[in-house]
Amino acid sequence: MNQKTEIPELGFTALIRFAWRQLTSMKTALILLMMMGLGAIPGSVIPQRSVNPIAVRDFFDAHPTLSAWYDRFSLFDVYSSPWFSAIYILLFISLIGCVLPRTIEHFHAMRAEPPITPRNLNRMEQFATWQSSEDSLEKATIWFKKNRFRVRREADSISAEKGYLRETGNLFFHLSLILILIGVSFGSLFGLRGEAIVNTGERFVNVPTSYDTLSLGKLTSDSDLSPFTITLDKFLGVYDPKTNIPKDYTAYVSVTDGGVKKKEVIKVNSPLTFGSTRVYLQANGYSPIVTVRNEDGSVAFQGPVTFLPQDGNLRSIGSIKVPDAQVPVGFVASFLPTYARSTDQGGVSIFPELLDPKLLFSIWSGDLGLDSGIPQSVYRMDTTNMKNLGLGSLKIGETFKYPGGSITLEGVIPWVNLQIVEDRGKGFALVGGISAILGLLASLYGRRRRIWIRVTDSQVEVAALSKNNAPGLEDEMKSLTEHLKG
Amino acid sequence: MNTTWAYISNYCVYSAMAIFTFSFLAHAFETAWAVRAPQNSDSSDESLLAKTFDYKRTERAARIATALMILGTAVLLAGIVFRGISAGHAPWSNMYEFSITGAFAFSIAYLAALRKYDLRWLGLFISFSVLLTLGTAITLLYRNSSPLVPALKSTWLVIHVTTAIICGGIFLLANVIAGAYLFLDRYEEVGARPVWALRIPSLEVLDQLSYRLIAFVFPLWTFSVIAGAIWAESAWGRYWGWDPKETWAFITWVAYAVYLHARVTVGWRGRRAAWLCIFAGSTFLFNYVYVNVWGTGKHTYSGLNK
Ligand code: HEM
């Protein structure tokens, strides 16, 4: 047996056309949609860098080999991974390729007359017939007009149609999905997202160097940052005295924007807006203000040091590094806004406000490792090459002396973490979302139906057909026949 | 925060449980008592239903069962409202509160659908599930009433959560109906339905009913997701962050979109559609249970993992 499979000779353009038709078929779109749903799953199970970088690091420590493989498939960055992007870009193209032609078609259909009355009306979903009367067609025309049907009048019949809103709504919905996708991609290409910790009294200037972390969209450049400054005048956190749960956070700020000075308030659910940039209150904590002196009394360091909260009562940890002291010294410290002792944990905080603040620390001297080139957390200190000089604790105004110097707790101020986000696409996404819902409603509840009437010498025939078996056609038929007979 | 109101709320929830128990018993009685012992084969042309089932005998029990269901739902609503008063905000800040509100949404969805369709056969199941949910909620998930953390104080959140809970009730109802479809389908394939299931509407009606429910709820779910995104934008600075909860809300949305397409454009009916419906509904349940309890996203406000 020598059978050759006949493969038709495909030219390049034919091939392209074939691929395009495949891609823009609804089946492909639905498969892509389903793949997007499935593809989203791993990101909800495996920790994501964008959501929880610390969990990712822990995962790497716990499962080194597995993590390497995960990383190879971008499973720690699912939603920005090449394969996930590929799915939604293909879906995007597929949607466009399938919805645009349908829109054009629909546009023509809407302006065309309804199709010719078919010959056999008695095969339709609804059918009625009775003795003819003269003016049935005229009466029917009136009824169709009143009910806003589009009609096609022929010699002995009328073909009427209504419910184009269903298809319009449907197209509107699918086009809105495209708009949402545009909004999302626009936002990530031209966007900006960063965070900055600002102490009370400090000023944040919107330039890249002011940020603690900053990620720019692929097509965003440094110079796109809008020029504003924010000074934190005061921060207020209110807590429930019984449960310690935060009730309200308010940051009072002074703002300059394009030379205009203003006083503003930022709350958790009400960000500050500068054009398409918004500033959110994300987190807060305390910065103890300390003075570190050398043995001779000269000041080696003075200022607020940001501490990182560890629990709901704002027990915070931090490190005070003074490499320029005559004896280079560092403090591994924890700060407790309302101090108490617990038998198993030592010093703890029992309330998030500054009721009885205390700074606990251990003192270390030696190489702080700041010049080693290895990036260090500002909140922690590597004490492997250092010598312990003892433990201490301070209330506000107190000074602690150690061999080689002294440290004073001058006061405590709150800090806030501002999140600064620029998203120029979200307006599109919102409009897309709203119009998607409207389109959906029209598409799901719209009823497309046709009604025909034919008058012959002896008989009137009325018939009706609805798409998708939508209910209500029967009532409409009844109304029409009553009108014709009455 | 007010403890007295919290206690009153708890009493309401306990009372609602008692009432639902009675409703469950009345439904059970209705079903059990309606079965007539088959009389010596007097095979007239009476239908099997009339011969072996006599709902006239239990009509009163059925009415009482439904009345109890309405009463229980009303008392549960009172419990939710008082919980809200005690906390000083809409009572949707932990899993206990989600659960009692979800149970409420489920029974309301049933009662609303009951006005339009003859669904009383579902009552036994509904009263039992509500009972189970409330029982789990008050024993395992209970948390003291507490004020809201600042991020949760938002009108959009209230809108988002309200609509999401309503959607949940309807998703579950659609799932139950699809489940009934599959169950009965197996019987009908080999012969007749069991006697007690004769009153349940035809497969075709069940199929249509679950579709109607989903077509009704899909726009609402879309709205709920968007309301959540608007809230997230004002609280966290991004309207969509692929947080596990958001991801699963999206997956649920996709699953139902696929369901609608399968029905409307491909013409799936019956068994395949029912399986798809159940799959889509399970993604919602999964989101509720898994992400609230074990998840790590920003959305884990269940109050369980503190
Ligand atoms: C190229 C891609 C797509 C095509 C050709 C397409 C086509 C259609 C068609 C023909 C209908 C039925 C309209 C009717 O009979 O009234 C429909 C309905 C619908 N589509 Fe799509 N669709 C596509 C992609 C999507 C996507 C990505 C979604 C996202 C969720 C979606 C969601 C819906 C919904 C919710 C309905 C309403 C179903 C109903 O009327 O019951 N579609 N689509």
Side-chain angles (χ1 to χ4, degrees):
Chain A
M1 259 199 332
N2 188 7
Q3 233 179 27
K4 268 194 209 148
T5 322
E6 207 63 54
I7 300 175
E9 202 59 37
L10 279 183
F12 181 69
T13 44
L15 201 66
I16 294 279
R17 199 173 302 142
F18 175 76
W20 176 249
R21 215 172 289 137
Q22 287 302 311
L23 180 62
T24 59
S25 79
M26 187 164 71
K27 203 166 111 208
T28 311
L30 289 179
I31 290 172
L32 286 170
L33 182 63
M34 232 164 1
M35 280 170 64
M36 198 166 155
L38 291 176
I41 294 177
S44 74
V45 185
I46 298 167
Q48 296 295 293
R49 286 206 177 89
S50 60
V51 177
N52 195 344
I54 297 170
V56 175
R57 210 181 50 207
D58 293 348
F59 196 90
F60 258 94
D61 291 344
H63 317 277
T65 335
L66 186 63
S67 299
W69 277 102
Y70 276 8
D71 219 15
R72 224 159 279 168
F73 294 102
S74 309
L75 288 178
F76 296 112
D77 312 271
V78 167
Y79 308 106
S80 53
S81 67
W83 56 268
F84 195 75
S85 314
I87 295 175
Y88 76 73
I89 290 170
L90 283 175
L91 177 63
F92 182 68
I93 297 171
S94 168
L95 257 177
I96 293 177
C98 110
V99 174
L100 280 187
R102 278 179 57 209
T103 310
I104 295 165
E105 205 175 291
H106 179 60
F107 185 71
H108 288 309
M110 266 203 312
R111 301 198 307 171
E113 287 192 310
I116 299 177
T117 314
R119 187 163 315 149
N120 293 320
L121 288 181
N122 55 0
R123 295 213 190 120
M124 296 299 164
E125 196 182 328
Q126 301 274 328
F127 178 71
T129 175
W130 62 85
Q131 282 292 310
S132 172
S133 68
E134 287 287 303
D135 52 351
S136 288
L137 284 185
E138 273 62 47
K139 273 187 166 169
T141 312
I142 294 171
W143 189 89
F144 284 133
K145 276 248 168 67
K146 199 177 75 197
N147 289 289
R148 317 236 309 270
F149 274 75
R150 295 176 318 109
V151 297
R152 175 190 194 121
R153 180 80 195 252
E154 287 164 74
D156 63 343
S157 71
I158 296 176
S159 163
E161 189 170 27
K162 190 177 171 177
Y164 269 80
L165 191 62
R166 182 191 175 94
E167 176 75 358
T168 312
N170 190 259
L171 290 171
F172 213 65
F173 170 77
H174 291 88
L175 289 170
S176 306
L177 296 183
I178 299 177
L179 191 60
I180 294 176
L181 277 174
I182 291 178
V184 172
S185 5
F186 203 78
S188 69
L189 287 179
F190 296 98
L192 164 167
R193 170 178 302 271
E195 290 184 16
I197 288 181
V198 182
N199 281 309
T200 309
E202 274 177 13
R203 193 161 72 130
F204 171 83
V205 182
N206 192 26
V207 292
T209 48
S210 306
Y211 286 84
D212 296 322
T213 64
L214 175 64
S215 65
L216 295 172
K218 290 205 174 61
L219 300 180
T220 318
S221 75
D222 287 2
S223 54
D224 293 341
L225 270 63
S226 59
F228 59 81
T229 71
I230 300 172
T231 309
L232 180 63
D233 298 328
K234 188 173 144 195
F235 173 79
L236 213 59
V238 182
Y239 300 86
D240 186 80
K242 255 192 246 163
T243 59
N244 298 14
I245 289 176
K247 285 164 83 174
D248 197 22
Y249 295 128
T250 316
Y252 298 88
V253 294
S254 305
V255 170
T256 61
D257 181 21
V260 186
K261 280 189 191 171
K262 282 184 296 206
K263 295 268 180 205
E264 297 275 5
V265 168
I266 316 179
K267 282 178 169 273
V268 172
N269 273 318
S270 74
L272 205 58
T273 305
F274 300 94
S276 58
T277 307
R278 299 187 98 181
V279 181
Y280 298 82
L281 184 58
Q282 271 295 312
N284 59 279
Y286 291 112
S287 297
I289 304 173
V290 295
T291 306
V292 177
R293 288 192 170 79
N294 295 316
E295 198 143 33
D296 60 9
S298 59
V299 173
F301 171 81
Q302 184 167 47
V305 184
T306 315
F307 274 48
L308 195 64
Q310 300 295 304
D311 62 21
N313 287 328
L314 296 186
R315 177 178 74 84
S316 309
I317 58 160
S319 69
I320 304 161
K321 297 169 189 170
V322 195
D324 303 331
Q326 285 159 6
V327 184
V329 66
F331 304 84
V332 177
S334 59
F335 174 74
L336 311 163
T338 301
Y339 172 80
R341 275 202 76 78
S342 97
T343 40
D344 52 339
Q345 287 170 297
V348 292
S349 172
I350 52 170
F351 198 68
E353 286 177 39
L354 294 172
L355 300 184
D356 181 17
K358 204 162 187 178
L359 186 69
L360 310 179
F361 49 87
S362 57
I363 309 156
W364 301 80
S365 76
D367 177 16
L368 283 159
L370 293 182
D371 308 322
S372 66
I374 302 165
Q376 277 198 346
S377 163
V378 288
Y379 304 109
R380 293 173 198 279
M381 203 163 76
D382 180 6
T383 55
T384 38
N385 297 325
M386 301 182 80
K387 194 171 117 229
N388 193 338
L389 299 183
L391 298 171
S393 77
L394 286 175
K395 291 187 179 202
I396 289 177
E398 290 181 346
T399 300
F400 183 90
K401 284 207 164 64
Y402 55 89
S406 73
I407 176 167
T408 309
L409 180 61
E410 310 281 356
V412 179
I413 52 172
W415 56 258
V416 297
N417 187 18
L418 297 179
Q419 185 179 7
I420 295 130
V421 180
E422 173 164 355
D423 186 341
R424 297 185 206 168
K426 73 187 168 202
F428 294 110
L430 182 61
V431 171
I434 293 169
S435 62
I437 293 176
L438 296 178
L440 202 50
L441 289 174
S443 158
L444 287 170
Y445 301 124
R447 298 185 296 121
R448 176 138 173 223
R449 63 267 190 207
R450 289 187 184 144
I451 299 183
W452 300 275
I453 171 168
R454 172 173 288 135
V455 181
T456 58
D457 303 338
S458 54
Q459 282 204 313
V460 180
E461 289 179 321
V462 181
L465 182 67
S466 74
K467 214 175 170 184
N468 311 91
N469 297 321
L473 193 61
E474 219 163 314
D475 298 338
E476 235 160 7
M477 271 290 277
K478 219 164 92 200
S479 156
L480 174 62
T481 45
E482 269 167 17
H483 176 83
L484 291 176
K485 288 176 175 172
Chain B
M1 201 176 46
N2 186 320
T3 344
T4 318
W5 284 114
Y7 278 123
I8 297 176
S9 164
N10 291 358
Y11 284 128
C12 287
V13 173
Y14 280 123
S15 312
M17 284 177 69
I19 299 169
F20 274 107
T21 311
F22 285 120
S23 172
F24 172 70
L25 291 177
H27 275 118
F29 177 82
E30 180 212 1
T31 307
W33 220 247
V35 182
R36 205 195 263 170
Q39 282 152 4
N40 285 342
S41 62
D42 81 71
S43 47
S44 58
D45 49 352
E46 262 185 310
S47 76
L48 184 62
L49 175 63
K51 228 164 55 186
T52 49
F53 246 104
D54 185 0
Y55 279 104
K56 284 199 206 78
R57 289 163 56 161
T58 55
E59 179 60 24
R60 279 203 36 208
R63 281 166 189 256
I64 291 173
T66 305
L68 284 171
M69 190 90 105
I70 294 172
L71 180 66
T73 309
V75 173
L76 185 55
L77 175 64
I80 295 166
V81 170
F82 293 146
R83 179 85 181 179
I85 294 174
S86 91
H89 57 82
W92 299 311
S93 64
N94 60 45
M95 198 132 166
Y96 167 70
E97 294 172 351
F98 289 141
S99 296
I100 60 173
T101 317
F104 172 75
F106 190 48
S107 60
I108 270 288
Y110 163 74
L111 289 173
L114 192 59
R115 287 174 58 99
K116 234 181 133 184
Y117 306 96
D118 181 18
L119 281 178
R120 220 152 56 191
W121 54 273
L122 259 179
L124 191 66
F125 182 86
I126 306 275
S127 50
F128 183 68
S129 328
V130 169
L131 208 53
L132 209 63
T133 314
L134 291 180
T136 324
I138 209 145
T139 51
L140 295 180
L141 306 174
Y142 189 78
R143 287 293 172 277
N144 283 329
S145 183
S146 64
L148 279 184
V149 298
L152 296 183
K153 284 184 188 155
S154 154
T155 318
W156 280 109
L157 174 71
V158 175
I159 295 171
H160 165 61
V161 178
T162 315
T163 49
I165 290 175
I166 294 172
C167 289
I170 299 173
F171 287 153
L172 287 189
L173 195 59
N175 264 17
V176 169
I177 291 169
Y181 178 98
L182 290 171
F183 186 76
L184 295 177
D185 185 49
R186 288 227 326 248
Y187 278 103
E188 294 196 359
E189 212 175 23
V190 293
R193 295 180 178 191
V195 172
W196 58 265
L198 287 176
R199 65 188 303 209
I200 300 176
S202 72
L203 289 180
E204 207 172 312
V205 171
L206 292 179
D207 184 51
Q208 194 65 21
L209 191 58
S210 60
Y211 168 66
R212 286 269 156 76
L213 287 171
I214 290 170
F216 170 78
V217 65
F218 189 77
L220 190 65
W221 180 245
T222 310
F223 173 75
S224 178
V225 171
I226 291 173
I230 293 174
W231 168 54
E233 198 275 337
S234 67
W236 300 326
R238 86 287 188 293
Y239 56 90
W240 197 266
W242 294 108
D243 172 283
K245 193 107 188 176
E246 294 165 355
T247 305
W248 279 92
F250 173 75
I251 291 169
T252 301
W253 187 76
V254 167
Y256 279 110
V258 169
Y259 172 88
L260 288 176
H261 273 104
R263 271 199 95 97
V264 177
T265 59
V266 190
W268 279 23
R269 292 285 179 278
R271 210 177 297 170
R272 285 194 293 182
W275 277 117
L276 200 49
C277 169
I278 287 178
F279 167 75
S282 327
T283 63
F284 177 86
L285 267 185
F286 181 80
N287 198 356
Y288 179 66
V289 176
Y290 168 78
V291 181
N292 269 341
V293 180
W294 293 286
T296 50
K298 283 179 175 243
H299 272 90
T300 41
Y301 294 113
S302 69
L304 293 181
N305 31 18
K306 289 233 172 96

